[in-house]
Amino acid sequence: MIARAMWSRRNALRAVAGAGAVLPWLPPVGSRAHGSAPPQRLLLVHFAHGVAADRWRPVAGDSWVPGETLQPLLPWADRVTQIVGLANHAGRAQIGDIHNIAMGTLTTSTGLATDQGAGGHYLAGGPSFDRVIAEQLAADEDASPHTSLHFGVRTQGFAMSAAAKEQPLRAEDDPGAAFERVFGELALTPTERATRVEQRAVARAWADTRLAALGTTLPKSDEPQIVSHRQALAVVAARDAREIDLPMGCTLPTSPPPFDEPRAPANEEIPALVDAVDELVVGALACDLSRVVTLQWGSSGNDGLRHVWQGIDADYHSVAHLANGADPAAHEQHAMATRWYVERFAGLVERLAAIPEGDGTVLDHTTCVLLSGVSIVHDLRDLPIVVVGGGVPGGRVLDAADASTTALWRGLAAHLGVDLGTFGAPQFDAAPLLLS
Amino acid sequence: MACSSELAPPSFDDDDDDPAEIVEGLRAPLRRLSAAQYENTVRAVFGVALPEAVHIVDGLPLDDSSGWFLGNAAPLGEAAVVQYQVTAERIAQAVVVHRGALAACLDDAAITDVCVRAVAEDLAARAWRRPISVPEADALVTAFGEGSVEEGLLRLVTLVLQSPDFLYRVERGEPDLLGGDDVRLTGHEIAARLSYLLWGGPPDAALTADAEAGRLHDPGYRAKVVARLLDDPRAAAGLAAMHRAWLGVGHLSTLVKDRNLFPTFSDRLGAELDDELAGFVDHVLRGRDGTLSSLLTANVTVAKTAVTSWYGDDVVEVVSTPEGTLPEGASLLVLDPTRRAGVLTLMSTMAAHAKTDRSDPVRRGSIVRTRLLCEPLAAPPPDVPVLPEQVAADATLRERLAAHTDDPSCAGCHRLIDPLGFAFEAYDAMGQFRVEDGQGATIDSTGEIVGTDVAGPVAGPVALAAALADSDQVARCYVGQWLRWALGRELEEDDEELLAALEIGFVDNGGHVPTLLAELVASEAFVRRSIE
């Protein structure tokens, strides 16, 4: 059993500088007790454009035997649950741009509030399940510094998550900016950090006082804005006041390499960007900087991305339209492209499994979900989904029998000890899938 | 460039139609600044102390909408509060580095109390768009603290930019003799309503002086102020913002097209298309006669190099214009009048309302039906099948659409939509004029306007534009869109009296948009707020 020793943010600077893991000569000053139970986390990884169905489906049988595309997960077979037969019924009930609908309704299980046409121009109709879970987990006294983190590669505005109706949480596609936001402050000295905290507290106190004063003079109809703003300030203030204690086993990533146009990269740059963002995802989970992390690969739209690094010159989106039909070459290319993403996902799983945490590893405490918002030819039924780690029993296939996506979100929430409450469009609500 | 001398003063034949006579205040939700308004405001406040290289909009919460228009009246969540905090810190860090440009005394070796107070008062007054009280100034000086100027300025700027006085368009108003369920806005609140409506940014020094002198309570003076504000280059941004929202083209700067079909399409082109829309609106409303008719029929555009090349032989003349009258890098183009007529036929509008790989007559027709004719359409029934790619191997899009909409449950709406959209079939997915579709079939761009005051067949997009320009229904609809934009919400029963008066005035004044705006601003309702 490996004890969960704590590491203060004071050590973070040395970690950023490349010191790596344990610095035993620095006294642990973390606020969490030794041996406290590791937290439960969620990693949601999305890839665009669905799958070549016959290569994705598991081999029929009692236990899980992966189809060709999922072979990279074979080393984790006893921890993999493949879910079949889950459908995005909320998306299917809506008319509009299918790419927007597929992405914008996937994790909210309700129709879009606004669909302004192709290219990710939509607003979600409600909060996404990952954010609902994140806000509940963030209410714990031992919560991470960030309620949720949303990383991406070339997502082009296709938001998978939403804080609330019409409040999308878009992925940060620039690894440099993401690094600065998530890890930058960990490099501050205690004095610098104290100054920052104090400056923020002054600004928040002013804002709160002014809101309170305005609340007495503005019409009653303005009250919801005033109240919610004050509540949000209080939540941020409470989190800001906490000490940031980094687990002993975590290694902070180094600053990612610069990219000329990280939000609109050339095709050739995609693998390097995926590498850079993977580092941030692993660092964020291993250092417990957030209990909920999402990662989006690609935009889900008709964006002309080509997997040139795999020798595929046709654009991925068009290939997805032609696969699963009468074009065997496109079908093969689609399977190749999907397998590349599965390999990357397997790489993440492997890295999380190599980081000790508590009496196990970070993977043991992180439920990793790989999924796409469409299945074949942009269909919203039988969505491709696998779940790995987090203590979810593996080696099995779960048939959702055409249940709504809500079934999975409720199942994941229950596994993480969270009750989603009223969630999604009521007509598409469903009993939770039994993951645990 | 603009034409204040051309702006006719509002005139009314009948006092009952005079918007100035309508004294009931309208409901106005508490709105946050939009991302663009936030950026325009901080750039006005900090000037060169905030370098252009500092990105602002990217880090802000996304705007929320009310219908098609900017709303930003939804309650804030924790994520948005953090975004405002991070953005304020980024701005503050840049301003600290360039603080000498904000106030020379901030570069002094020993900063004085006088300097701190002057900076705090000036900064907060401009950011909050109102005078600062003595207790507020005292508190800001205290927040600046006794430490280093860097730390003090960082605290001051982040405090000012996270204050609700900055983030919201606060309109507390002041009691007046009319009493009742209304308040009259203060001069500074009227100034902010004016500047954010017409510039998308904060009041300038002259408007602030008008507010302090009490001149903005005079309806005639407000009408004159409209002329001045429209004469200012900052009006281009305000007019563009309204028309982007009205036409549903706010996504142009991130437009995506199928690069297999359009290999030279680039991310930069989307931004240039957005510039085209803004340049066209500005040219027509401030540089030409300012009428809705010209907006819908002028065969010109304002385009930069890439967009100009996409227009190809549609361009019949590049007009020489005095330096500084057009955005940098843009030219005024006269377009083939048999191919292009007005804002609906711009490449930007047509490209925005198309699929990535083909035209979209349903969407284009819906835009005309809902946004120009103000006729709401029922939501499509659930589980409508997607448009079949293949009805017959050589079927045209028109034929495939017909197969799709033969269903009686669909036909009720599609007979109103599709004939309008078919008139735009002369433009492909990029908005380029064409005579053949991708399969080599000859394009049929005949259409029909069904059920309006200008009902009848139209022989293509130019004829459709001309018919819409003749429509009173379109003119009245356009007035309603401006009122929605100004109020930041959908129209309500209480708005009807003002709306009717503005509609009558607009039609009587030949659809002159600056006059419409002057009448709106001169109305008593514009300077009052319902507090029910």
Side-chain angles (χ1 to χ4, degrees), chain A residues 23-97:
Chain A
L23 297 172
W25 61 90
L26 288 166
V29 292
S31 61
R32 292 181 223 167
H34 285 253
S36 58
Q40 286 294 321
R41 307 186 192 90
L42 173 69
L43 170 64
L44 193 63
V45 183
H46 182 274
F47 62 100
H49 305 322
V51 297
D54 60 330
R55 314 291 180 87
W56 177 270
R57 286 193 195 108
V59 177
D62 292 337
S63 60
W64 182 67
V65 180
E68 178 192 316
T69 314
L70 284 171
Q71 292 280 336
L73 285 172
L74 202 49
W76 314 99
D78 62 345
R79 308 178 76 167
V80 171
T81 294
Q82 183 166 1
I83 294 168
V84 299
L86 197 80
N88 179 357
H89 289 304
R92 295 186 69 229
Q94 186 162 26
I95 302 299
D97 184 278

Side-chain angles (χ1 to χ4, degrees), chain B residues 58 97 100 110 147 179 219 237 313 339 379 419 428 500:
Chain B
D58 289 350
V97 172
D313 60 4
R339 296 183 177 184
D428 67 11

Side-chain angles (χ1 to χ4, degrees), chain B residues 31 33 117 162 202 233 293 333 337 348 407 420 430 469 473 519:
Chain B
R31 288 188 278 170
L33 296 180
R117 179 168 288 271
Q162 291 176 78
S293 178
L333 311 178
S348 44
D407 184 327
L420 291 168
M430 267 303 301
Q473 183 173 340
E519 290 178 357

Side-chain angles (χ1 to χ4, degrees), chain B residues 98-456:
Chain B
H98 302 90
R99 59 186 178 275
L102 186 64
C105 65
L106 290 172
D107 270 342
D108 290 349
I111 188 167
T112 65
D113 290 347
V114 172
C115 174
V116 171
R117 179 168 288 271
V119 168
E121 286 181 350
D122 177 64
L123 188 63
R126 288 190 294 130
W128 298 348
R129 291 91 63 184
R130 63 171 175 79
I132 305 303
S133 68
V134 172
E136 284 175 331
D138 291 343
L140 293 173
V141 170
T142 302
F144 195 98
E146 301 289 331
S148 71
V149 64
E150 289 88 350
E151 284 182 13
L153 191 55
L154 197 69
R155 263 198 301 274
L156 176 67
V157 172
T158 54
L159 181 156
V160 165
L161 296 185
Q162 291 176 78
S163 173
D165 303 275
F166 171 76
L167 294 175
Y168 293 91
R169 303 258 304 274
V170 175
E171 293 178 341
R172 289 196 289 182
E174 55 194 6
D176 67 352
L177 294 176
L178 291 173
D181 296 325
D182 287 358
V183 290
R184 186 180 74 157
L185 301 187
T186 67
H188 291 281
E189 289 165 354
I190 297 170
R193 271 202 180 183
L194 278 162
S195 66
Y196 283 107
L197 174 67
L198 297 174
W199 288 350
D204 64 355
L207 199 49
T208 302
D210 287 338
E212 284 169 2
R215 291 188 285 267
L216 296 178
H217 293 296
D218 175 351
Y221 190 83
R222 289 200 299 275
K224 287 180 187 168
V225 168
V226 168
R228 181 180 81 77
L229 298 190
L230 287 177
D231 203 28
D232 189 286
R234 281 171 280 194
L239 293 171
M242 183 276 173
H243 288 82
R244 267 190 211 106
W246 170 44
L247 296 168
V249 298
H251 58 291
L252 274 170
S253 59
T254 54
L255 195 68
V256 172
K257 292 294 171 185
D258 186 336
R259 297 194 194 200
N260 290 325
L261 296 174
F262 306 104
T264 61
F265 179 87
S266 69
D267 293 336
R268 191 169 57 90
L269 189 67
E272 282 202 18
L273 287 168
D274 187 58
D275 290 342
E276 184 205 18
L277 190 283
F280 174 84
V281 169
D282 185 45
H283 173 72
V284 169
L285 295 187
R286 299 200 314 123
R288 288 169 72 102
D289 64 2
T291 63
L292 175 61
S293 178
S294 286
L295 195 70
L296 294 173
T297 61
N299 61 308
V300 295
T301 196
V302 176
K304 295 180 179 173
T305 313
V307 173
T308 301
S309 68
W310 278 86
Y311 270 109
D313 60 4
D314 290 1
V315 179
V316 296
E317 184 186 354
V318 179
V319 180
S320 173
T321 54
E323 193 175 335
T325 55
L326 294 177
E328 190 176 343
S331 300
L332 176 60
L333 311 178
V334 177
L335 303 173
D336 184 340
T338 67
R339 296 183 177 184
R340 306 279 178 175
V343 71
L344 294 176
T345 68
L346 294 179
M347 268 193 63
S348 44
T349 309
M350 288 292 96
H353 295 301
K355 304 286 189 190
T356 55
D357 55 353
R358 65 168 172 81
S359 65
D360 191 343
V362 174
R363 185 167 173 189
R364 289 168 174 176
S366 297
I367 292 295
V368 173
R369 183 60 66 178
T370 57
R371 300 184 185 226
L372 278 91
L373 292 163
C374 285
E375 290 183 359
L377 295 168
D383 285 330
V384 171
V386 296
L387 184 61
E389 291 297 323
Q390 297 284 331
V391 170
D394 58 350
T396 65
L397 180 57
R398 187 185 282 252
E399 289 163 344
R400 277 187 278 145
L401 200 54
H404 177 64
T405 56
D406 274 350
D407 184 327
S409 67
C410 304
C413 283
H414 278 279
R415 74 180 182 83
L416 301 173
I417 300 169
D418 299 359
L420 291 168
F422 288 143
F424 296 114
E425 276 297 274
Y427 310 111
D428 67 11
M430 267 303 301
Q432 287 184 297
F433 187 82
R434 60 179 180 171
V435 293
E436 291 182 349
D437 69 12
Q439 282 72 48
T442 300
I443 288 292
D444 175 1
S445 62
T446 57
E448 184 177 5
I449 307 174
V450 177
T452 76
D453 59 340
V454 289

Side-chain angles (χ1 to χ4, degrees), chain A residues 86-167:
Chain A
L86 197 80
N88 179 357
H89 289 304
R92 295 186 69 229
Q94 186 162 26
I95 302 299
D97 184 278
I98 189 63
H99 311 93
N100 291 351
I101 291 169
M103 199 63 183
T105 64
L106 175 64
T107 58
T108 66
S109 298
T110 194
L112 298 178
T114 309
D115 179 5
Q116 294 183 320
H121 308 290
Y122 59 83
L123 294 174
S128 56
F129 89 98
D130 53 299
R131 183 66 183 187
V132 176
I133 287 174
E135 288 183 359
Q136 292 200 36
L137 295 178
D140 287 352
E141 61 179 20
D142 198 24
S144 304
H146 299 275
T147 302
S148 60
L149 291 171
H150 305 275
F151 299 101
V153 175
R154 204 179 185 269
T155 57
Q156 300 190 328
F158 280 82
M160 178 165 66
S161 301
K165 180 183 179 184
E166 298 187 334
Q167 291 183 31

Side-chain angles (χ1 to χ4, degrees), chain A residues 92 116-117 121 147 167-168 170 198-200 204 206 210 217 222 225 228-229 239 264 302 306 315, chain B residues 30 62 73 75-76 78 85 89 128 139 155 158 163 165 168 172 251 254 256 260 267 356 363 529:
Chain A
R92 295 186 69 229
Q116 294 183 320
H121 308 290
T147 302
Q167 291 183 31
R170 291 187 171 153
E198 184 260 355
Q199 164 239 310
R200 287 175 176 167
R204 274 194 300 268
W206 178 281
R210 287 295 301 146
T217 57
D222 292 337
Q225 289 103 304
S228 70
H229 195 157
R239 200 171 54 242
N302 183 355
R306 293 174 168 82
D315 86 82
Chain B
L30 178 64
L62 288 180
L76 271 188
E78 170 208 341
Q85 172 187 289
E89 288 171 0
W128 298 348
R155 263 198 301 274
T158 54
S163 173
D165 303 275
Y168 293 91
R172 289 196 289 182
H251 58 291
T254 54
V256 172
N260 290 325
D267 293 336
T356 55
R363 185 167 173 189
R529 184 186 181 197

Side-chain angles (χ1 to χ4, degrees), chain A residues 157-200:
Chain A
F158 280 82
M160 178 165 66
S161 301
K165 180 183 179 184
E166 298 187 334
Q167 291 183 31
L169 292 167
R170 291 187 171 153
E172 176 53 79
D173 286 0
D174 179 349
F179 175 84
E180 185 55 38
R181 189 165 89 79
V182 179
F183 302 100
E185 285 193 18
L186 300 177
L188 296 176
T189 65
T191 305
E192 290 168 335
R193 163 84 180 155
T195 303
R196 182 76 60 90
V197 167
E198 184 260 355
Q199 164 239 310
R200 287 175 176 167

